[in-house]
Amino acid sequence: MRIVFIGPPGAGKGTQCRRLSAHYTIPHLSTGEMLRKASRDTPVGRVVGAYIDNGQLAPDPLVMRIVRKRLQRNDCRRGSLFDGFPRTVIQSELLDEHLSAMGQKVDIVLDLQVKEAELVERLLARAEVEGRDDDTAETIQRRLHVFRTQTAPVLDYYAGRGLIEQIDGQRTADEVFDEICDRIDTRLRNQEPG
Ligand code: AP5
Ligand code: MG
């Protein structure tokens, strides 16, 4: 099972993916986490870090290189849970190409919806606790703009294929989790065998 999780900054992608990954025993692939790690550990790190800190997307080829490498690991044979990826239509196309070469496909796209005022509140609260460099009032606005202009079109890309499940993210994390599991389980039951 390959699940794409799309939602604006602060919608709860990471929170839900950690639980879903344990519940369905499939690996959690967060490109945000991978890029933050790359920004600390690799020679191109400073360049990557600058994109993240400015709230802009890292270049598609760089993101795809990291994702393709991660998908080669054995644990991804069972499936994968993509957190915050793909984030551009080009990434969606390249992911489809990559999966189809391996005889795989995206099975479900979760569209986690939360109003902007709530997103800003959540991220500013998280800034107090975790101190992520991109959780400043100005950068949060830039990330929201990037989501509206570059990532929302990814939903249109998948819409025609009937893959999207819209999830109301403005409830407790437990309620959101239960709803997502219901949607996934229903799709799994209705999937053709094999
Ligand atoms: P990324 O790390 O993906 O960040 P993001 O999309 O901005 O989202 P967040 O991680 O901030 O929020 P989330 O939805 O995971 O919410 P969370 O569960 O933490 O990307 C960071 C950067 O990396 C990008 O800006 C870009 O530069 C780069 N990047 C990443 N992927 C890329 C790609 N594919 N291509 C190019 N560049 C890429 O929750 C947020 C807070 O809310 C937490 O404090 C949480 O406890 C709380 N919370 C969660 N659920 C609830 C709830 N139901 N009710 C109340 N509070 C809640
Ligand atoms: Mg996250």
Side-chain angles (χ1 to χ4, degrees), residues 17-189:
C17 282
R18 281 188 284 278
R19 296 181 65 169
L20 291 165
S21 172
H23 184 76
Y24 291 103
T25 29
I26 49 175
H28 173 195
L29 276 58
S30 160
T31 43
E33 293 296 335
M34 294 179 204
L35 290 165
R36 275 188 288 279
K37 184 168 186 314
S39 77
R40 291 188 299 265
D41 303 349
T42 68
V44 288
R46 267 206 289 180
V47 182
V48 177
Y51 285 107
I52 298 176
D53 293 350
N54 286 322
Q56 285 162 337
L57 296 182
D60 292 327
L62 172 73
V63 174
M64 291 310 300
R65 197 156 62 233
I66 293 177
V67 172
R68 284 196 193 101
K69 195 163 167 216
R70 179 65 184 85
L71 283 173
Q72 277 165 8
R73 284 184 23 203
N74 268 342
D75 59 344
C76 291
R77 282 198 198 151
R78 240 190 343 258
S80 17
L81 181 53
F82 296 104
D83 168 355
F85 170 86
R87 247 171 156 103
T88 62
V89 171
I90 290 174
Q91 289 179 17
S92 317
E93 291 168 349
L94 293 171
L95 175 65
D96 273 349
E97 265 175 39
H98 182 82
L99 291 179
S100 99
M102 298 194 296
Q104 300 167 350
K105 62 179 170 49
V106 170
D107 299 294
I108 306 177
V109 177
L110 298 168
D111 168 15
L112 188 60
Q113 302 181 339
V114 175
K115 293 206 173 81
E116 287 202 4
E118 166 91 19
L119 297 170
V120 173
E121 211 173 286
R122 286 185 191 181
L123 292 175
L124 290 176
R126 185 176 67 184
E128 305 275 317
V129 187
E130 291 183 21
R132 234 172 81 171
D133 289 343
D134 55 348
D135 282 346
T136 65
E138 192 189 340
T139 309
I140 291 167
Q141 286 306 325
R142 196 165 307 134
R143 286 155 67 199
L144 289 171
H145 175 76
V146 165
F147 179 80
R148 285 192 298 267
T149 53
Q150 294 181 257
T151 305
V154 169
L155 292 166
D156 301 328
Y157 175 85
Y158 289 115
R161 284 151 57 182
L163 295 181
I164 297 187
E165 294 287 351
Q166 290 179 338
I167 308 289
D168 174 6
Q170 283 197 162
R171 292 166 298 165
T172 67
D174 283 346
E175 287 168 331
V176 174
F177 178 72
D178 288 345
E179 165 99 45
I180 293 173
C181 291
D182 272 354
R183 305 287 188 97
I184 292 175
D185 293 342
T186 304
R187 285 206 175 231
L188 285 178
R189 271 196 304 277

